[in-house]
């Protein structure tokens, strides 16, 4: 009888939490078995979906109709939860408490602002909150860290190795290409194409990592998104333009203001796919890895060994858990290889 009572007491003890050190150096106690996670913003939601979709509690923004085919069926209809970080952080703590996740995850900057938010939310809700560094070069470490936190270390390591292999392919291409001989690239954002990202910004990270020279470069004096003038673009005269805006792409070849720019004259304007997430940014998460593959092939077609369609299928299966049919694949890649509209 005493043995039975002892066993019941042991079974009644609370499950001991694991300790994890996040990218900000915060030591956080998390449950041994993490089954539900609240993503603090879009980058975190994408990372979570890629790593362990069954743990998702919702999307910060509900998926749009054109995005649904590129997300696995069980996760297309998850509710909109709002976000805790970034512009429009409308998810309130009551909503988080209502969901009762095992863990809150943020992926991106680990500056003091985000550390303070994580500490405050964790103190107010009692829910562990981890920050993972979203810098592009940190991607393999981020994947392994999250894999450990979510109890899927094999998945984290497999994805990390895939990222490392892509980085190594690009490094091999760039090894003997001097900086001054690399393509000069301009990121055209918005319907007029005049919003861009300065060199070193998170918005142009894949351009630079793929071996492009970002023409929006003032020596590091300015970072982030800026509004360029048409005169500045003409002076910069990029040989390659990438955009995710179909309105800009649809008119750039006929716009007299853009006619004298080398990229337009040579037909080197490329429209980035955006489903289910942008390949350049929007948001800056693991979705950019597909964009990096695409960009390297655009900038170094004679050096990059790979087929865009095959690599897109493989990426969407490994990262997004979907097997693309021919129709969905073609709709995704239309114009991405520089075929101007008729």
């Amino acid at each position: 009888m005493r043995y039975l009572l002892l066993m019941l007491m042991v079974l009644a003890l609370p499950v001991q939490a694991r300790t994890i050190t996040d990218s900000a150096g915060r030591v956080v106690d998390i449950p041994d078995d993490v089954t539900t996670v609240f993503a603090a913003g879009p980058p975190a939601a994408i990372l979570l979906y890629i790593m362990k979709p069954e743990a998702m509690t919702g999307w910060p923004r509900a998926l749009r109709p054109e995005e649904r085919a590129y997300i696995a069926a069980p996760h297309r209809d998850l509710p909109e939860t709002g976000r805790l970080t970034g512009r429009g952080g409308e998810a309130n703590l009551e909503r988080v408490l209502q969901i009762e996740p095992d863990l809150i995850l943020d992926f991106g900057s680990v500056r003091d602002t985000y550390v303070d938010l994580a500490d405050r939310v964790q103190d107010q809700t009692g829910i562990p909150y981890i920050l993972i560094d979203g810098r592009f070069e940190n991607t393999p470490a981020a994947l392994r860290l999250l894999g450990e936190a979510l109890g899927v270390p094999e998945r984290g390591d497999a994805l990390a190795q895939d990222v490392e292999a892509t980085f190594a392919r690009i490094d091999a291409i760039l090894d003997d290409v001097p900086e001054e001989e690399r393509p000069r690239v301009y990121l055209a954002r918005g319907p007029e194409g005049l919003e861009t990202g300065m060199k070193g910004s998170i918005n142009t990270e894949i351009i630079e990592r793929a071996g492009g020279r970002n023409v929006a470069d003032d020596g590091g004096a300015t970072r982030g998104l800026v509004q360029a003038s048409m005169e500045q673009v003409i002076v910069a005269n990029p040989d390659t333009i990438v955009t995710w805006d179909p309105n800009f792409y649809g008119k750039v070849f006929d716009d007299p203001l853009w006619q004298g720019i080398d990229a337009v004259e040579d037909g080197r304007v490329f429209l980035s796919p955006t489903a289910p997430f942008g390949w350049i940014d929007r948001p800056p998460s693991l979705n950019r890895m597909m964009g990096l593959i695409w960009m390297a092939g655009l900038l170094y077609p004679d050096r990059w060994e790979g087929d865009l369609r095959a690599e897109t299928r493989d990426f969407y299966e490994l990262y997004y858990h979907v097997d693309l049919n021919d129709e969905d694949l073609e709709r995704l890649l239309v114009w991405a290889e520089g075929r101007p509209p008729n």
Side-chain angles (χ1 to χ4, degrees), residues 73-107:
H75 313 291
R76 294 172 185 168
D77 297 316
L78 289 173
E80 184 168 311
T81 58
R83 54 192 293 172
L84 289 172
T85 60
R87 290 180 295 179
E90 67 274 8
N92 56 40
L93 296 185
E94 288 78 11
R95 180 70 184 278
V96 176
L97 287 168
Q98 183 183 37
I99 293 173
E100 294 184 310
D102 296 325
L103 180 70
I104 299 172
L105 167 69
D106 195 16
F107 179 55

Side-chain angles (χ1 to χ4, degrees), residues 320-342:
Y320 294 155
H321 317 284
V322 291
D323 183 9
L324 295 180
N325 60 42
D326 291 342
E327 181 181 352
D328 289 336
L329 181 63
E330 185 60 29
R331 186 168 62 246
L332 182 71
L333 295 179
V334 66
W335 299 347
E337 295 172 305
R339 292 171 291 163
N342 296 324

